[in-house]
Amino acid sequence: MSLVTFDAARRRWLLSTPRTSYVVGLKDDDTPVCLHWGPRLSADQAAALPEPAAFMGSSFDESGTGEELLTEAGARFGAASLQIRFPGGDTGIEWRYTGHTIDAGHLTLRLRDRVHPAEVTLHYRLRPDTDVIERWTEIAAEAPVTLLRCDSAAWNPPPLPGYRLSHATGGWAAENTLRRAEPPVGETVLTSRRGITSHQANPWLMIDAGEATEEHGEVWSAALAWSGSWRITVARTPGGRLSWTGGFGHEGLTWQGAAWTTPVFAGLYSTGGYGAASRTWHHYVNEHVRPAARETRPVLYNSWEAVGFEVGEESQKRLAALAARAGAEVFVMDDAWFGGRTSDRAGLGDWWPNPERFPGGLTPLIEEVHRLGMRFGLWAEPEMVNPDSDLYRAHPDWVIHQPGRERTELRHQLFLDFSRPEVADWAHKWLHRLVSEHAIDFLKWDCNRTFTQADPGEMWAGHVRAVYSILDRLRADHPHLRVEACSGGGGRTDLGMMARTDQVWTSDNADAADRLSIQHGFTQIYPAGAMAAWVTDSPNPLTGRRTSLAYRFHVAMAGVLGLGGDLLNWSEQELDEAAALVGMYKDIRDVVQHGELRRLRGAVQYTLGDRVVVLAYKGPAAFGAPGVPLRLSGLDPDARYRDEDTGAVHHGVLLTARGLIPPFPHDDYASALIRLRKEQL
Ligand code: DGJ
């Protein structure tokens, strides 16, 4: 069955994914519109879809709804997806269809403006194994024009009796707070104006009619593959329609040029509630976005929370020995190994080993890490410079700034402008040299501030593209290199970054109880195999909360387990317990990282082949109330499941219909790990 078919008589294209269909058609005036986004349709059924509703006759009707990219031409009053300022000042586009191509699952619709020489190509890419449809837009003008807005796509679910919007908000150390609320009639703007994806909002959304649950109901969702400023505008009309348009940049930015390609804004329709929507995203991200998702991510140790800026060869070696003892497979040296970096006030930009801290360079530490049987990883923040650095003294003009204006320092640092080729080249050269000259297997790419004093032009996108290009070149030249995306925790969690990194540092908040909410929000779209999570000290340095080692481990085991505590202060008993828990993680990690994730009440369940892993959590005890059984999900009702730890055998149907009481210890913030294996009949 073709992924894309064309009905020439009706001028409509039927896009078919395994379980869904999307139908795009042209109105009489050539405006491309969405005729259907929902259950799978046959060609006959798609042909029977009604033409988009015409104006009712009043001058004040709603217009523009259902369009694939909203313009400003004529009687359209919504938030425009596309605004091109042509010579003479007009910004509307009047569509003229000029042709299409279908190349397997890739449909391109070519359109022009009726007046000015500008081509707009709408791209749709489908793949046989996913319901996710990738969409993006390309602009080509004969002469440079000014782009005021150039979204990747507008998405139009069908009219629903009501609407609920799910999205993520947050802040530093509080990323990915899931919000679910009825969107107001009006426009709701989800955005980052910071030059990075941001901690405050994440570029995805889900829409349902207000009735979906984790397991049931229709959900429409979209996620943007971009790591700089972005904007998604959700418009709910008084007449009962809802649509959204989204892409890179934010209001006030303009781009000059003759050719533009937007990032991908991918979307999906799902009928199995939020959970099924998330699993469809996870599968798509693992199969089509992440570069090495089929690999199993190793357990790493990172020294940041243990030593902060007090980095030295001897202390790193001592930590490395303990990390190896606990079962870590990668040892990552974080900030403060370079230049004059002994605090956050100096050194960024001077990327050579600090001669006092590493008199023999990095090699003695790397060799020791390898001798201990681990791979070596290193932190870097390539886009940044401290004013107190040799780099800044030599190139004060390399930073993002506006002549004559103050240069706002955040964390005592300034942002290097990678949209300038000489600056990006410099960064690529030193990174390439560093990785070439040392046995570095893992790079943590950090970014600890946002843009300020940035010109409202091309650099906003150019900088992000240069970051992408450096990462792409590093990966191509060093195929063994694995990369962690980080931006003061999870400030660069998005599909664009995931396309060129292996995992994301989810948050600087490693408090296990807080992490449950951060991880809950993260997994709405992004897979557990990309979600880096560390076990650190108790009481937690950020929140002061005391939790058991097992609880901290069980929370971090829900993603890619790492260790980040000050192991020098851990007792022998704690180190032994940690080693046993790391061993347990190694047993379950394929199921966690590659299995299907189900969010249960107070637990997460992963299923891969015949194995089921459940990580269950209990908050502070309240009134000594007896626990409620935990109902599992998605099991084979006719199968039996053996508990690998107790030997107990459960019927699948009873595990889902009645549930089981997790074996929580009698404690606040208690947790349990349950490993089940489906019995062969
Ligand atoms: C922010 C990161 O999120 C931390 O893990 C750590 O790498 C610091 N930066 C270092 O400055």
Side-chain angles (χ1 to χ4, degrees):
M1 165 80 193
S2 319
L3 299 176
V4 183
T5 54
F6 179 47
D7 177 344
R10 294 175 184 78
R11 300 204 307 165
R12 50 179 71 165
W13 293 262
L14 168 61
L15 283 60
S16 304
T17 73
R19 289 164 296 199
T20 76
S21 284
Y22 189 95
V23 181
V24 51
L26 298 175
K27 288 169 77 166
D28 290 345
D29 66 357
D30 282 5
T31 301
V33 286
C34 174
L35 300 175
H36 172 80
W37 184 21
R40 206 161 194 283
L41 302 181
S42 66
D44 276 358
Q45 292 160 343
L49 284 166
E51 292 293 328
F55 278 125
M56 302 293 282
S58 150
S59 321
F60 304 109
D61 274 348
E62 282 177 10
S63 64
T65 47
E67 297 188 13
E68 292 291 271
L69 266 190
L70 213 72
T71 74
E72 289 192 321
R76 292 178 173 88
F77 309 102
S81 316
L82 193 58
Q83 291 169 297
I84 305 179
R85 183 180 293 135
F86 293 108
D90 105 59
T91 57
I93 300 260
E94 291 174 351
W95 297 112
R96 185 157 64 81
Y97 169 66
T98 60
H100 78 271
T101 48
I102 298 172
D103 180 6
H106 186 176
L107 166 69
T108 47
L109 291 188
R110 290 189 301 282
L111 300 124
R112 294 185 71 83
D113 180 48
R114 283 182 191 272
V115 177
H116 295 286
E119 276 186 7
V120 180
T121 307
L122 309 185
H123 292 264
Y124 302 80
R125 184 162 54 210
L126 286 79
R127 298 190 175 87
D129 66 327
T130 176
D131 291 325
V132 172
I133 300 174
E134 292 180 344
R135 293 182 55 195
W136 70 100
T137 296
E138 236 181 307
I139 313 270
E142 272 171 23
V145 289
T146 305
L147 283 185
L148 304 175
R149 185 79 209 149
C150 179
D151 278 354
S152 305
W155 289 97
N156 300 277
L160 300 172
Y163 295 99
R164 182 164 48 193
L165 167 68
S166 306
H167 63 114
T169 63
W172 175 78
E175 296 86 339
N176 296 313
T177 304
L178 177 63
R179 305 264 168 206
R180 278 211 164 113
E182 182 178 346
V185 172
E187 290 174 7
T188 303
V189 177
L190 314 175
T191 190
S192 160
R193 303 186 185 94
R194 296 165 188 258
I196 59 168
T197 323
S198 98
H199 303 75
Q200 285 70 19
N202 200 267
W204 66 266
L205 79 169
M206 292 189 192
I207 290 289
D208 70 280
E211 294 155 356
T213 64
E214 199 57 31
E215 305 227 350
H216 302 285
E218 294 181 289
V219 173
W220 291 260
S221 178
L224 182 73
W226 187 244
S227 315
S229 284
W230 55 274
R231 194 183 77 182
I232 298 173
T233 306
V234 183
R236 181 177 179 185
T237 70
R241 293 292 307 256
L242 180 139
S243 62
W244 64 88
T245 178
F248 62 1
H250 55 79
E251 61 287 342
L253 300 188
T254 60
W255 299 284
Q256 310 285 332
W260 277 92
T261 304
T262 71
V264 164
F265 195 18
L268 65 81
Y269 163 73
S270 166
T271 53
Y274 306 124
S278 296
R279 284 188 290 283
T280 302
W281 280 121
H282 299 166
H283 172 84
Y284 161 74
V285 176
N286 284 336
E287 290 299 314
H288 304 295
V289 178
R290 297 173 62 209
R294 292 202 176 166
E295 273 178 24
T296 297
R297 304 255 47 81
V299 176
L300 66 72
Y301 175 81
N302 179 299
S303 62
W304 171 248
E305 279 206 29
V307 297
F309 293 98
E310 299 306 316
V311 172
E313 186 175 315
E314 283 319 307
S315 61
Q316 290 289 303
K317 283 180 175 169
R318 281 202 300 280
L319 283 167
L322 295 175
R325 184 189 153 182
E329 297 156 307
V330 185
F331 179 83
V332 183
M333 178 159 66
D334 209 277
D335 201 343
W337 57 268
F338 53 91
R341 183 82 164 165
T342 51
S343 75
D344 60 5
R345 293 181 169 268
L348 285 172
D350 297 345
W351 297 105
W352 50 85
N354 178 309
E356 278 155 35
R357 296 179 164 199
F358 296 92
L362 297 179
T363 302
L365 174 63
I366 296 175
E367 283 176 350
E368 175 63 2
V369 167
H370 287 166
R371 193 189 66 76
L372 290 163
M374 297 182 290
R375 288 178 249 168
F376 182 74
L378 197 61
W379 178 95
E381 200 178 1
E383 299 151 87
M384 297 298 160
V385 64
N386 285 116
D388 184 1
S389 66
D390 289 355
L391 180 74
Y392 189 73
R393 284 182 279 274
H395 297 287
D397 57 322
W398 276 13
V399 300
I400 296 174
H401 70 285
Q402 286 166 347
R405 298 273 176 209
E406 189 183 331
R407 300 175 177 201
T408 300
E409 290 179 25
L410 297 171
R411 209 194 191 205
H412 313 291
Q413 62 198 55
L414 296 165
F415 223 121
L416 292 168
D417 181 356
F418 278 16
S419 73
R420 292 175 58 173
E422 70 276 26
V423 186
D425 277 357
W426 162 85
H428 173 255
K429 277 202 182 79
W430 73 255
L431 278 161
H432 177 64
R433 197 171 49 240
L434 186 72
V435 180
S436 305
E437 290 174 358
H438 298 88
I440 295 173
D441 309 291
F442 182 95
L443 187 69
K444 175 175 173 183
W445 182 301
D446 203 348
C447 172
N448 282 297
R449 60 159 290 169
T450 50
F451 286 11
T452 56
Q453 286 91 26
D455 244 3
E458 282 87 287
M459 68 96 14
W460 287 78
H463 180 90
V464 178
R465 292 197 201 287
V467 169
Y468 287 172
S469 152
I470 294 171
L471 282 166
D472 292 344
R473 288 166 72 193
L474 281 177
R475 290 194 83 103
D477 292 340
H478 307 279
H480 71 285
L481 186 69
R482 296 293 171 264
V483 184
E484 181 171 72
C486 174
S487 176
R492 259 195 189 147
T493 303
D494 60 78
L495 298 179
M497 217 54 188
M498 281 194 190
R500 41 202 41 98
T501 57
D502 300 285
Q503 58 193 54
V504 175
W505 177 226
T506 312
S507 177
D508 276 344
N509 185 346
D511 175 291
D514 283 354
R515 265 298 173 112
L516 287 180
S517 133
I518 293 170
Q519 296 181 174
H520 184 74
F522 184 101
T523 64
Q524 299 296 315
I525 304 292
Y526 309 114
M531 183 173 75
W534 302 343
V535 173
T536 63
D537 298 334
S538 178
N540 180 272
L542 186 73
T543 64
R545 196 186 333 252
R546 288 173 197 276
T547 51
S548 70
L549 196 61
Y551 182 80
R552 281 174 274 149
F553 262 94
H554 287 160
V555 173
M557 283 178 174
V560 179
L561 176 70
L563 306 175
D566 186 358
L567 301 183
L568 295 167
N569 278 331
W570 288 22
S571 66
E572 287 295 311
Q573 194 195 338
E574 282 173 314
L575 288 168
D576 288 345
E577 193 184 344
L581 285 158
V582 168
M584 182 64 89
Y585 179 71
K586 288 177 181 169
D587 173 68
I588 62 165
R589 68 176 158 189
D590 278 349
V591 187
V592 171
Q593 296 185 21
H594 307 298
E596 287 196 340
L597 180 150
R598 287 183 164 75
R599 293 177 294 261
L600 311 177
R601 274 182 189 277
V604 214
Q605 175 193 319
Y606 307 82
T607 313
L608 182 70
D610 62 353
R611 293 197 77 192
V612 179
V613 168
V614 180
L615 289 157
Y617 311 105
K618 187 168 78 66
F623 310 114
V628 177
L630 175 68
R631 290 169 70 171
L632 307 194
S633 166
L635 303 185
D636 178 351
D638 299 324
R640 291 164 194 246
Y641 293 82
R642 179 179 294 277
D643 186 314
E644 294 183 41
D645 296 292
T646 66
V649 176
H650 306 274
H651 288 280
V653 67
L654 296 184
L655 285 172
T656 52
R658 294 200 56 83
L660 47 71
I661 301 273
F664 289 130
H666 196 61
D667 199 358
D668 277 348
Y669 297 108
S671 57
L673 164 62
I674 301 164
R675 301 182 294 169
L676 302 171
R677 197 179 283 269
K678 187 173 166 183
E679 294 215 307
Q680 301 304 326
L681 292 177

